[in-house]
Structures are given as structure tokens and as C-alpha cells.
Amino acid sequence: MGTYAVTGSASGMGAASAETLAAAGHTVIGVDLHDADIIADLGTAGGREQAAEEILTRCGGTLDGVAAIAGVGPNLPDAAAVMSINYFGPVHLLELLRPALAAADAGRAVAIGSNAATTVPLIDDRLVELALAGEEEAAREHARAAAEAMPAELRELAPSISAYASSKFALARWIRRTAVTPEWARQGVLLNAIAPGAVLTPLMLGSTGEAGDPDRFPTPMPLGVFGEPADIAFWVHQFLKPEARFTTGAILYVDGGTDAAMRPDGTPTAMSLG
Ligand code: NAI
């Protein structure tokens, strides 16, 4: 049995993933702002360093897997915090934990992105560029200014929608770029992401507590149902298994078909010779 760190373990997909791993007999180290083994704010560099240090102490320097699930939604008014929590949170923590994953026989990491990266037409290229360059302060400033410049109606609807989609877009790109580097791939540490669609968690349900009719949801829901946290936990578990040994750099849509419905020909994209 292995030892796995799960961020966002107090709620939603993180809680379901922690439960699934524990039910399979593994030791789970939960990290969250509250109700977790390790209380840490993954929206700050200091919080991530503290979390990593405590995880390393608890696992003795060898970690079988990390599920980086903690995150916030597009309704959070602070776009800078959205970037710090959703992009820099998982990236920085995974970087800090990579040596402990490399020390395991079959280190595995999975992060939770979102299909918002490909279905929300508000990706801010400069913000993605700053994130991938590791410029957290500049990314925060840019995200805040860009959110303030958004049309008032959009700001009222989802104040951080562009930062949210951009944070998940940058995360997916970081996963693909990083997974194939020797530091990860040749150390046997596999790095993948899941891109969920609408999943019934406190984040999605917000203050209303109700999701309504899937067929009236703003994005198409071909399967006619919303996801449950367990639908994501299932795939988190698969990606973390030692047997999942030939997949790295994958972004798996677990979204009831939304991305395929909105962009049927978006993937695959052909490689050109030019
Ligand atoms: P949730 O709100 O139920 O759980 C998120 C957890 O992350 C909470 O326990 C929260 O305390 C923790 N968290 C938030 N900020 C944190 C911080 N600064 N430091 C440490 N922990 C922090 O939400 P849900 O839906 O389970 O979200 C999990 C992930 O899935 C997030 O990354 C979210 O962006 C993503 N997602 C959610 C979708 C949905 O429809 N629910 C759709 C696509 C992606």
C-alpha cells in the first residue's frame, strides 16, 4: 500500500479522492485550509513550502503519489488569488514534491485542470505566458488589472472567469511541457491532468446549492447529467496506480462530453511540416 498526498481534501473532488484512496488501503495525507491533516494556504509560496515540508516529514521522504486538487472557481472576486491558487499552487507544490516522488518505485502525480481551458473563449495569452514563466507577482498584477478592465456585466456574472480559464489553460500546458522532461519522465514520475466539466461540488453549487437542469446549463451536457465528485475520484485513482505506467502528459476530459460537443474537431490537431 502506498502513501498519497491529496490537496483540497476537505471538500468535493479532493474529499472523494481521499476517500477512494483510503478505501483502497492507502495512507492519505490531506492538505487543505481546514479539516485536513495539514492545514496550509496553497495560494502563497510560504504555504506551499510549509505543506511540502510537512508532507515530507509524514511520508519520510518517499511519496507514491500526489493529487493536486485544491482550487477555487471563477466567482472568486480576487483574480490574483485565482492565479495563485489554481496555477502556482499545484505547480509549485508538485515541483517541491518531485524528489520524493522520484524516490518511490512508481511516483505518480495528477492535477485537476478544467474544461474551461478549452471551452471558455477568454484565455488571456499574456497571463498564460507569465504563469509559464513562473512570474507569480507579475501574473497576479496582470490578472487583477485584466479583471478590472472586463465589461461590467461579465464582471458581475463571474469576476475571475478569464483568470480562471487562463489558470487552467496554463496548468494543462505546464503539465504537457513538464511531464516529458528528464527530471520527471526519466525518474519514472508520471504527470497527468484531468479536465473536469460541471461536477456537483460546493464550488459549482455556490450559494444556491442547486445546479438545475443539465439541459439548461450554459455549456452543452451531452450525457444529460452533471458529474459527481466520485466520477473524478475514479480517474484520480487510476492515474495514481503503479500499473498506469505508459501515460504521461495526458489531459483527460471527464466532463460528460462538453468539450467534444463544443469543439468536436479541436482534438486531434494535425502536425504540419512548416
Ligand atoms: P470544492 O470547493 O468542493 O473543493 C476545493 C477545496 O480546495 C476546498 O476544500 C478548499 O478549502 C480547498 N482550497 C481552496 N483554496 C485553497 C488554498 N488556498 N489552499 C488550500 N486549499 C484550498 O471544489 P471542487 O469542485 O471539488 O474543486 C476541485 C478542483 O476542481 C478545483 O481545482 C476546481 O477548480 C476544479 N474544477 C471544478 C469543477 C466543478 O464543476 N466543480 C469543474 C472543473 C474544475
Side-chain angles (χ1 to χ4, degrees):
M1 291 295 108
T3 300
Y4 294 89
V6 177
T7 76
S9 61
S11 177
M13 301 176 200
S17 299
E19 261 169 47
T20 301
L21 289 165
H26 299 299
T27 300
V28 176
I29 305 169
V31 184
D32 208 303
L33 289 170
H34 53 88
D35 300 310
D37 301 307
I38 297 170
I39 306 298
D41 181 357
L42 300 172
T44 67
R48 294 165 212 143
E49 279 156 15
Q50 172 222 325
E53 207 176 297
E54 291 188 39
I55 292 169
L56 294 175
T57 302
R58 283 176 179 255
C59 74
T62 303
L63 192 60
D64 296 287
V66 180
I69 302 180
V72 288
N75 293 332
L76 199 76
D78 184 353
V82 170
M83 280 313 287
S84 284
I85 298 166
N86 285 4
Y87 176 81
F88 292 98
V91 166
H92 189 191
L93 189 69
L94 287 169
E95 281 170 343
L96 292 169
L97 295 175
R98 191 191 55 79
L101 292 166
D105 290 337
R108 303 281 182 263
V110 61
I112 300 295
S114 170
N115 72 356
T118 49
T119 61
V120 173
L122 291 167
I123 300 302
D124 181 331
D125 292 338
R126 178 69 186 141
L127 189 51
V128 171
E129 202 176 286
L130 289 169
L132 287 165
E135 304 272 354
E136 184 165 1
E137 270 322 303
R140 287 175 59 87
E141 264 174 46
H142 182 91
R144 203 174 278 135
E148 276 166 18
M150 272 192 336
E153 315 84 70
L154 194 56
R155 242 185 8 237
E156 244 166 66
L157 212 63
S160 293
I161 183 67
S162 175
Y164 179 77
S166 302
S167 72
K168 299 296 192 178
F169 186 95
L171 181 61
R173 193 158 271 183
W174 180 83
I175 295 273
R176 284 180 58 79
R177 287 183 181 181
T178 307
V180 294
T181 59
E183 291 77 21
W184 290 78
R186 290 304 168 106
Q187 296 292 317
V189 185
L190 276 49
L191 176 60
N192 293 291
I194 295 169
V199 179
L200 299 169
T201 67
L203 182 151
M204 182 201 158
L205 295 168
S207 51
T208 65
E210 278 185 30
D213 179 353
D215 287 328
R216 288 172 181 270
F217 199 66
T219 53
M221 302 298 301
L223 293 181
V225 290
F226 292 117
E228 298 283 347
D231 295 318
I232 306 302
F234 172 82
W235 289 108
V236 166
H237 190 196
Q238 304 310 307
F239 275 126
L240 294 179
K241 286 181 176 168
E243 295 86 345
R245 56 177 285 275
F246 200 49
T247 302
T248 202
I251 312 293
L252 179 72
Y253 289 90
V254 184
D255 70 348
T258 300
D259 184 71
M262 291 181 74
R263 304 182 318 120
D265 303 336
T267 309
T269 47
M271 190 161 177
S272 68
L273 287 175

